[in-house]
PDB file of all heavy atoms in Angstrom:
ATOM      1  N   ASN A 258     -12.708 -14.080 -22.870  1.00  0.00           N
ATOM      2  CA  ASN A 258     -14.025 -14.178 -23.428  1.00  0.00           C
ATOM      3  C   ASN A 258     -15.115 -13.779 -22.497  1.00  0.00           C
ATOM      4  O   ASN A 258     -16.137 -13.173 -22.900  1.00  0.00           O
ATOM      5  CB  ASN A 258     -14.208 -15.678 -23.925  1.00  0.00           C
ATOM      6  CG  ASN A 258     -14.112 -16.608 -22.680  1.00  0.00           C
ATOM      7  OD1 ASN A 258     -13.341 -16.366 -21.807  1.00  0.00           O
ATOM      8  ND2 ASN A 258     -14.864 -17.678 -22.729  1.00  0.00           N
ATOM      9  N   HIS A 259     -14.960 -13.912 -21.119  1.00  0.00           N
ATOM     10  CA  HIS A 259     -15.848 -13.505 -20.168  1.00  0.00           C
ATOM     11  C   HIS A 259     -15.976 -11.957 -20.104  1.00  0.00           C
ATOM     12  O   HIS A 259     -17.006 -11.349 -20.049  1.00  0.00           O
ATOM     13  CB  HIS A 259     -15.477 -14.093 -18.813  1.00  0.00           C
ATOM     14  CG  HIS A 259     -16.458 -13.873 -17.770  1.00  0.00           C
ATOM     15  ND1 HIS A 259     -16.432 -12.921 -16.785  1.00  0.00           N
ATOM     16  CD2 HIS A 259     -17.665 -14.595 -17.543  1.00  0.00           C
ATOM     17  CE1 HIS A 259     -17.429 -13.047 -16.022  1.00  0.00           C
ATOM     18  NE2 HIS A 259     -18.252 -13.997 -16.392  1.00  0.00           N
ATOM     19  N   ALA A 260     -14.737 -11.294 -20.156  1.00  0.00           N
ATOM     20  CA  ALA A 260     -14.737  -9.825 -20.193  1.00  0.00           C
ATOM     21  C   ALA A 260     -15.423  -9.323 -21.491  1.00  0.00           C
ATOM     22  O   ALA A 260     -16.174  -8.380 -21.438  1.00  0.00           O
ATOM     23  CB  ALA A 260     -13.376  -9.291 -20.188  1.00  0.00           C
ATOM     24  N   LEU A 261     -15.281  -9.969 -22.528  1.00  0.00           N
ATOM     25  CA  LEU A 261     -15.916  -9.622 -23.878  1.00  0.00           C
ATOM     26  C   LEU A 261     -17.470  -9.726 -23.679  1.00  0.00           C
ATOM     27  O   LEU A 261     -18.308  -8.825 -23.929  1.00  0.00           O
ATOM     28  CB  LEU A 261     -15.551 -10.483 -24.885  1.00  0.00           C
ATOM     29  CG  LEU A 261     -15.979 -10.115 -26.401  1.00  0.00           C
ATOM     30  CD1 LEU A 261     -14.940 -10.555 -27.444  1.00  0.00           C
ATOM     31  CD2 LEU A 261     -17.246 -10.930 -26.590  1.00  0.00           C
ATOM     32  N   VAL A 262     -17.996 -10.935 -23.223  1.00  0.00           N
ATOM     33  CA  VAL A 262     -19.432 -11.178 -23.119  1.00  0.00           C
ATOM     34  C   VAL A 262     -20.069 -10.322 -22.230  1.00  0.00           C
ATOM     35  O   VAL A 262     -21.225  -9.757 -22.345  1.00  0.00           O
ATOM     36  CB  VAL A 262     -19.607 -12.684 -22.753  1.00  0.00           C
ATOM     37  CG1 VAL A 262     -21.074 -12.961 -22.410  1.00  0.00           C
ATOM     38  CG2 VAL A 262     -19.227 -13.566 -23.823  1.00  0.00           C
ATOM     39  N   LYS A 263     -19.422  -9.954 -20.952  1.00  0.00           N
ATOM     40  CA  LYS A 263     -19.983  -9.068 -19.941  1.00  0.00           C
ATOM     41  C   LYS A 263     -19.737  -7.591 -20.102  1.00  0.00           C
ATOM     42  O   LYS A 263     -20.250  -6.851 -19.488  1.00  0.00           O
ATOM     43  CB  LYS A 263     -19.580  -9.562 -18.593  1.00  0.00           C
ATOM     44  CG  LYS A 263     -20.212 -10.863 -18.129  1.00  0.00           C
ATOM     45  CD  LYS A 263     -20.022 -11.126 -16.624  1.00  0.00           C
ATOM     46  CE  LYS A 263     -20.732 -10.028 -15.729  1.00  0.00           C
ATOM     47  NZ  LYS A 263     -20.575 -10.310 -14.324  1.00  0.00           N
ATOM     48  N   ASN A 264     -18.840  -7.205 -21.086  1.00  0.00           N
ATOM     49  CA  ASN A 264     -18.495  -5.936 -21.340  1.00  0.00           C
ATOM     50  C   ASN A 264     -17.940  -5.185 -20.203  1.00  0.00           C
ATOM     51  O   ASN A 264     -18.342  -4.139 -19.778  1.00  0.00           O
ATOM     52  CB  ASN A 264     -19.853  -5.140 -21.895  1.00  0.00           C
ATOM     53  CG  ASN A 264     -19.474  -4.290 -23.046  1.00  0.00           C
ATOM     54  OD1 ASN A 264     -19.126  -4.747 -24.112  1.00  0.00           O
ATOM     55  ND2 ASN A 264     -19.663  -2.951 -22.801  1.00  0.00           N
ATOM     56  N   TYR A 265     -16.734  -5.771 -19.539  1.00  0.00           N
ATOM     57  CA  TYR A 265     -16.140  -5.033 -18.522  1.00  0.00           C
ATOM     58  C   TYR A 265     -14.617  -5.008 -18.913  1.00  0.00           C
ATOM     59  O   TYR A 265     -14.134  -5.634 -19.765  1.00  0.00           O
ATOM     60  CB  TYR A 265     -16.279  -5.669 -17.184  1.00  0.00           C
ATOM     61  CG  TYR A 265     -15.777  -7.105 -16.989  1.00  0.00           C
ATOM     62  CD1 TYR A 265     -14.417  -7.356 -16.643  1.00  0.00           C
ATOM     63  CD2 TYR A 265     -16.652  -8.205 -17.312  1.00  0.00           C
ATOM     64  CE1 TYR A 265     -14.002  -8.607 -16.520  1.00  0.00           C
ATOM     65  CE2 TYR A 265     -16.137  -9.547 -17.106  1.00  0.00           C
ATOM     66  CZ  TYR A 265     -14.774  -9.730 -16.727  1.00  0.00           C
ATOM     67  OH  TYR A 265     -14.347 -10.950 -16.614  1.00  0.00           O
ATOM     68  N   SER A 266     -13.899  -4.139 -18.129  1.00  0.00           N
ATOM     69  CA  SER A 266     -12.391  -3.867 -18.392  1.00  0.00           C
ATOM     70  C   SER A 266     -11.701  -4.573 -17.240  1.00  0.00           C
ATOM     71  O   SER A 266     -12.037  -4.351 -16.049  1.00  0.00           O
ATOM     72  CB  SER A 266     -12.196  -2.455 -18.483  1.00  0.00           C
ATOM     73  OG  SER A 266     -12.974  -1.841 -19.645  1.00  0.00           O
ATOM     74  N   VAL A 267     -10.529  -5.064 -17.556  1.00  0.00           N
ATOM     75  CA  VAL A 267      -9.542  -5.444 -16.519  1.00  0.00           C
ATOM     76  C   VAL A 267      -8.323  -4.415 -16.661  1.00  0.00           C
ATOM     77  O   VAL A 267      -7.633  -4.470 -17.705  1.00  0.00           O
ATOM     78  CB  VAL A 267      -9.103  -6.846 -16.729  1.00  0.00           C
ATOM     79  CG1 VAL A 267      -8.080  -7.302 -15.681  1.00  0.00           C
ATOM     80  CG2 VAL A 267     -10.312  -7.825 -16.646  1.00  0.00           C
ATOM     81  N   LEU A 268      -8.003  -3.705 -15.601  1.00  0.00           N
ATOM     82  CA  LEU A 268      -6.975  -2.630 -15.659  1.00  0.00           C
ATOM     83  C   LEU A 268      -5.863  -2.945 -14.724  1.00  0.00           C
ATOM     84  O   LEU A 268      -6.057  -3.186 -13.469  1.00  0.00           O
ATOM     85  CB  LEU A 268      -7.662  -1.370 -15.302  1.00  0.00           C
ATOM     86  CG  LEU A 268      -8.844  -0.870 -16.076  1.00  0.00           C
ATOM     87  CD1 LEU A 268      -9.598   0.317 -15.420  1.00  0.00           C
ATOM     88  CD2 LEU A 268      -8.471  -0.493 -17.520  1.00  0.00           C
ATOM     89  N   GLY A 269      -4.715  -3.058 -15.208  1.00  0.00           N
ATOM     90  CA  GLY A 269      -3.445  -3.160 -14.361  1.00  0.00           C
ATOM     91  C   GLY A 269      -2.955  -1.861 -13.865  1.00  0.00           C
ATOM     92  O   GLY A 269      -3.195  -0.756 -14.504  1.00  0.00           O
TER      93      GLY A 269
END
Side-chain angles (χ1 to χ4, degrees):
N258 59 327
H259 190 259
L261 182 153
V262 171
K263 285 193 68 174
N264 223 61
Y265 64 89
S266 303
V267 180
L268 305 168

